[in-house]
Amino acid sequence: MKFILTTIIIFFTLFAVNAQDKGIKFQNGLSWAQVKQKAKAEHKYIFVDCYTTWCVPCKLMATEVFPQPEVSDFFNDKFISVALQFDETKKDDANTKRWYKEVKQIEKDYKVNAYPTYLFFTPDGALVHSIVGGSDAKTFITKAKEALDPKTQLVNLKKQYADGNRSPEFLKVFIDALGRSWDSQVTEVINVYLPTQKNLLTKENLQLIAMATAKSTDPGFKTVQQHSKEFDVANGPGRSRGLIGDIAFDELVLPIVRVNGTKVTNGGMYYYTGEINKYVNWDEVKAKLDAQYPQLADEIVVKSKVRYYRDLENWPKYTEQAAVYVKQYGNDNHNQVMTYANDIMLFTDDKACLKQAANWSKEVLATPDGANTSWYVNVYASLLYKLGHADEALTVINDAITNLGDKAYGLKDTQEKMKKGGNL
């Protein structure tokens, strides 16, 4: 009996050791100062995985990419690695709590505001590179190699740009690096790069125009107007109308609907400041849009009214105007329809509003792209749940999880919340 017990203990000990040997070896038991000291002693760079407990791509990277042998072999050879949790929960263990102060400092110093973010430091602890977002194993290793090469390190590319390098070849490399790190400077650099191009109608350039065009004076704006079909082929159906509409709102509608209104951009997010005008002259709005964008004026007015009532948090009027958009333009832009439905799901308990949003969502899910988009399914099921149709909502979720498989992003979390019967 003693021999059997000993054998079992040895087996599980070996199993635990083997399990620990797999994947990237994160040194979370050390302090930040000790991590830098270890990196310097071993002549290795530092890799920091910045994640949150609610981030689905973070979890996928941790469970499906980091354990792969080619990934772990590369990172364990080249880096001292740390995985840091950037949100705080009641379930946090002592080691996670021990990092709270340093995590806040890292978040502030290196402007970590999207997840997952991956930071790369020299052995001395100087930031040289960053990446935002997950990827497959091969792509992730390729991106990480850029952090080790002075020619592709983001910090060195920034210095070259500041020193005046404007060659098209360099600008393209710089744009790619900025894009991978979600650095807001990418807009500026793209708009410097585009005038160097003889042909703006390549797929790559049209995609860059979509990333960087925010004003009617930007170099890519005329291309969006004059080549909308080509632009939409490269960037998605209806994208040209949406981009022109957003710019028209910022430049023509915003000064009317808000007093001293301004648009503030922070990373990939934005919001508007200025007091909301309670007495908007929509005829004036229409006249200005007709003068500059006659073919899109009606649609822009409808979308502007939806945005206006959202800012006022008047959800019945919001739903009323969203319904106008859905009826007139919804067939060409399912994503916009679902965005309106999602707002209603998130911000109001008004049954009439929820019911309308559920009807729009159901129609979108009946289309080929609708049923295969996990976010659309999530919105529709959540609306059903808020309307009190919990069983029907769970059926929709369960069917989608079965049909979408590993593309059922976020649906299992919603499923668990619904099963518990609490708020979503």
Side-chain angles (χ1 to χ4, degrees):
M1 184 68 178
K2 182 176 181 180
F3 171 76
I4 295 174
L5 183 59
T6 303
T7 303
I8 291 173
I9 291 172
I10 292 173
F11 172 79
F12 279 106
T13 300
L14 289 173
F15 179 83
V17 170
N18 288 334
Q20 290 173 358
D21 286 342
K22 293 181 179 179
I24 297 176
K25 296 178 181 177
F26 290 106
Q27 307 290 329
N28 283 38
L30 305 178
S31 67
W32 183 235
Q34 290 171 326
V35 167
K36 290 188 286 185
Q37 184 179 17
K38 184 176 177 65
K40 194 170 184 179
E42 298 183 17
H43 305 289
K44 292 183 177 181
Y45 275 58
I46 300 169
F47 166 63
V48 180
D49 169 21
C50 308
Y51 71 92
T52 64
T53 58
W54 46 261
C55 167
V56 175
C58 300
K59 295 176 183 177
L60 292 174
M61 290 295 289
T63 59
E64 298 183 12
V65 176
F66 293 167
Q68 295 189 31
E70 62 268 37
V71 175
S72 59
D73 290 347
F74 175 77
F75 276 83
N76 292 335
D77 179 56
K78 303 295 184 184
F79 298 97
I80 301 299
S81 302
V82 186
L84 301 182
Q85 181 180 311
F86 274 64
D87 61 331
E88 298 179 7
T89 75
K90 295 179 180 179
K91 297 180 180 179
D92 292 346
D93 58 24
N95 196 49
T96 301
K97 292 178 180 178
R98 186 171 62 81
W99 275 92
Y100 277 174
K101 183 177 180 180
E102 287 175 317
V103 163
K104 289 185 181 298
Q105 194 62 46
I106 291 171
E107 182 180 35
K108 178 182 178 182
D109 291 345
Y110 306 113
K111 298 179 176 60
V112 178
N113 54 26
Y115 305 97
T117 288
Y118 303 107
L119 304 177
F120 299 86
F121 299 83
T122 65
D124 292 323
L127 181 71
V128 292
H129 204 70
S130 63
I131 301 169
V132 176
S135 60
D136 60 79
K138 183 178 179 180
T139 303
F140 193 61
I141 292 173
T142 300
K143 291 179 179 179
K145 286 180 179 178
E146 295 176 354
L148 300 171
D149 185 349
K151 294 179 182 179
T152 52
Q153 288 171 347
L154 185 56
V155 66
N156 289 333
L157 296 175
K158 281 179 173 283
K159 185 177 185 304
Q160 289 184 58
Y161 183 79
D163 289 342
N165 191 340
R166 296 295 185 272
S167 75
E169 297 76 17
F170 163 75
L171 290 173
K172 185 60 177 64
V173 172
F174 190 27
I175 287 167
D176 290 342
L178 290 168
R180 284 191 284 272
S181 67
W182 286 22
D183 191 307
S184 60
Q185 191 181 6
V186 70
T187 299
E188 171 196 336
V189 181
I190 290 173
N191 284 330
V192 172
Y193 172 76
L194 289 173
T196 71
Q197 299 298 290
K198 292 182 180 179
N199 181 11
L200 291 178
L201 298 183
T202 66
K203 182 178 180 180
E204 186 176 48
N205 284 339
L206 289 168
Q207 289 174 340
L208 291 177
I209 289 171
M211 288 175 61
T213 304
K215 301 187 295 294
S216 60
T217 54
D218 285 336
F221 183 74
K222 287 185 178 179
T223 300
V224 180
Q225 279 190 307
Q226 297 170 4
H227 301 279
S228 59
K229 290 183 179 179
E230 295 91 334
F231 185 83
D232 287 351
V233 169
N235 294 287
R239 187 69 190 278
S240 59
R241 284 163 41 201
L243 180 56
I244 293 171
D246 287 341
I247 292 172
F249 179 87
D250 294 343
E251 296 180 353
L252 301 179
V253 184
L254 180 60
I256 298 175
V257 298
R258 284 182 181 263
V259 179
N260 298 319
T262 58
K263 185 178 186 178
V264 179
T265 302
N266 182 16
M269 307 295 290
Y270 66 87
Y271 61 92
Y272 294 99
T273 64
E275 182 182 354
I276 300 174
N277 181 2
K278 299 293 178 64
Y279 305 100
V280 174
N281 184 338
W282 290 106
D283 290 335
E284 179 188 359
V285 172
K286 178 69 162 55
K288 285 183 176 293
L289 291 169
D290 277 335
Q292 198 159 335
Y293 305 104
Q295 294 181 326
L296 298 175
D298 289 336
E299 181 178 354
I300 296 171
V301 168
V302 173
K303 292 178 71 175
S304 296
K305 287 182 178 180
V306 178
R307 193 192 306 255
Y308 175 74
Y309 289 115
R310 184 188 192 280
D311 291 343
L312 285 176
E313 298 183 4
N314 185 334
W315 297 108
K317 292 293 289 184
Y318 176 94
T319 305
E320 177 185 314
Q321 290 302 316
V324 174
Y325 178 89
V326 172
K327 182 178 180 180
Q328 295 181 0
Y329 311 103
N331 288 337
D332 297 326
N333 196 335
H334 291 159
N335 200 61
Q336 186 64 72
V337 173
M338 296 307 294
T339 297
Y340 291 156
N342 189 57
D343 279 349
I344 292 169
M345 184 273 293
L346 289 174
F347 301 118
T348 183
D349 293 321
D350 186 300
K351 296 295 185 183
C353 297
L354 292 168
K355 187 174 181 180
Q356 274 197 274
N359 288 337
W360 308 333
S361 304
K362 185 176 182 179
E363 290 179 3
V364 170
L365 259 65
T367 64
D369 70 307
N372 293 317
T373 305
S374 59
W375 179 60
Y376 294 176
V377 174
N378 213 337
V379 172
Y380 176 53
S382 298
L383 285 162
L384 291 175
Y385 187 82
K386 287 193 73 171
L387 283 165
H389 308 312
D391 291 341
E392 185 179 355
L394 269 170
T395 298
V396 170
I397 289 286
N398 294 339
D399 289 347
I401 290 173
T402 300
N403 295 333
L404 296 177
D406 59 2
K407 295 182 179 180
Y409 308 120
L411 295 182
K412 290 184 180 179
D413 288 341
T414 303
Q415 180 190 56
E416 289 302 313
K417 291 177 183 177
M418 287 182 178
K419 285 180 178 179
K420 292 178 181 177
N423 294 329
L424 298 180

